Amino acid sequence: MKKILYIFAVFFIFCNVFASCSNDDNNDAVTPSGNPAEVAAGTYEGTWTRIADGDTTTNEGTIIIAATDSAFTADFHFISTGYSLDASSVANIAYAGSDGTTFVYNNGTSTNTLGSVFAGRIENGTVSSRFQISQRAGRTMKLFTFLFNGKKNI
């Protein structure tokens, strides 16, 4: 009886070695082609939120994205006259999905021309961005967190 159970167990294991799950990879997904910086380029108008020491204020502003000569990089120009913000820097940009309308961007170096690490996401014509910079507030320098949400002008 033990031999029969042993043979049955070996047969069961042997059969499962050759069994597999169905292929659930979506090999039909199309990766967008072209330079994502050229597709995402444009003027995005929206709201800047500035946070420092528990104080949160909002102001209108703009982010202008322009493709550079290098693939997968773009020039980001951050503008808010109410916050005396007028700075730009280059960042890496890539597709973040197969639909060709979602992107992620970042610059992980604080020695860039903005003077801060920054990152963001563009999804269906809406951009969100975040960075921290020091600005003069009266007689002192304060570290401000800037957040931006805006829509692409078409």
Side-chain angles (χ1 to χ4, degrees):
M1 182 71 175
K2 285 186 178 181
K3 280 187 173 183
I4 293 174
L5 286 175
Y6 178 74
I7 291 171
F8 180 71
V10 170
F11 178 74
F12 181 75
I13 292 170
F14 182 75
C15 289
N16 284 326
V17 167
F18 295 104
S20 68
C21 298
S22 66
N23 184 2
D24 58 358
D25 294 339
N26 184 3
N27 293 332
D28 297 335
V30 177
T31 303
S33 62
N35 185 356
E38 293 173 354
V39 180
T43 301
Y44 297 79
E45 292 184 355
T47 303
W48 283 102
T49 302
R50 186 172 78 170
I51 305 165
D53 300 331
D55 184 31
T56 302
T57 60
T58 59
N59 210 318
E60 293 179 0
T62 306
I63 292 180
I64 301 171
I65 302 172
T68 63
D69 293 338
S70 301
F72 299 98
T73 61
D75 184 48
F76 288 79
H77 192 166
F78 306 103
I79 304 166
S80 174
T81 54
Y83 292 136
S84 300
L85 177 65
D86 188 357
S88 62
S89 185
V90 174
N92 297 319
I93 186 167
Y95 289 108
S98 61
D99 63 355
T101 63
T102 305
F103 312 89
V104 291
Y105 60 90
N106 71 346
N107 185 324
T109 254
S110 61
T111 57
N112 59 43
T113 54
L114 176 63
S116 174
V117 170
F118 66 95
R121 182 175 183 89
I122 303 167
E123 193 165 358
N124 297 320
T126 300
V127 66
S128 61
S129 194
R130 177 188 176 100
F131 58 86
Q132 290 183 321
I133 58 173
S134 292
Q135 282 186 323
R136 183 164 301 284
R139 294 183 177 180
T140 62
M141 292 295 284
K142 283 189 176 181
L143 182 64
F144 291 101
T145 299
F146 284 88
L147 308 170
F148 181 81
N149 286 303
K151 290 241 179 227
K152 186 175 187 177
N153 288 344
I154 297 180

